[in-house]
């Protein structure tokens, strides 16, 4: 399913980053762009696995620990399992 609201938000984020061209270094732009995309795909993986972090890590090709680090970095909150 296509989440048009989330895609619009992603596009706005990328447009804001593009607007910073010439104001910050390419290294900063690339790092921030990677962050926007990484967060997007982590959220998609969590949605597709109904919040199952282990399954999302597998979908993303990450260890669970790496996913937990990224969840903290991007302040993505997932419900605790029952």
């Amino acid at each position: 399913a296509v989440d048009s609201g989330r895609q619009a938000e992603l596009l706005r984020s990328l447009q804001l980053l593009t607007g910073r061209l010439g104001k910050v270094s390419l290294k900063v732009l690339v790092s921030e762009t990677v962050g926007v995309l990484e967060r997007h795909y982590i959220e998609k993986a969590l949605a597709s696995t109904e919040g199952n972090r282990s399954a999302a890590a597998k979908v993303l090709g990450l260890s669970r620990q790496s996913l937990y680090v990224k969840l903290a970095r991007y302040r993505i909150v997932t419900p605790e399992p029952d």
Side-chain angles (χ1 to χ4, degrees), residues 33-58:
T33 301
V34 167
V36 167
L37 294 173
E38 201 168 48
R39 180 186 179 92
H40 171 76
Y41 286 113
I42 289 168
E43 289 174 341
K44 285 292 189 184
L46 287 165
S48 73
T49 60
E50 299 178 348
N52 183 316
R53 291 171 286 193
S54 294
K58 187 173 184 177

Side-chain angles (χ1 to χ4, degrees), residues 16-28:
L16 287 171
L17 285 167
T18 301
R20 296 180 66 197
L21 185 63
K23 298 174 183 147
V24 297
S25 70
L26 178 61
K27 182 177 181 177
V28 169

Side-chain angles (χ1 to χ4, degrees), residues 58-75:
K58 187 173 184 177
V59 166
L60 294 165
L62 297 172
S63 68
R64 282 186 311 137
Q65 185 59 38
S66 291
L67 178 59
Y68 294 152
V69 168
K70 291 175 188 300
L71 290 173
R73 177 183 306 147
Y74 299 120
R75 296 184 178 100

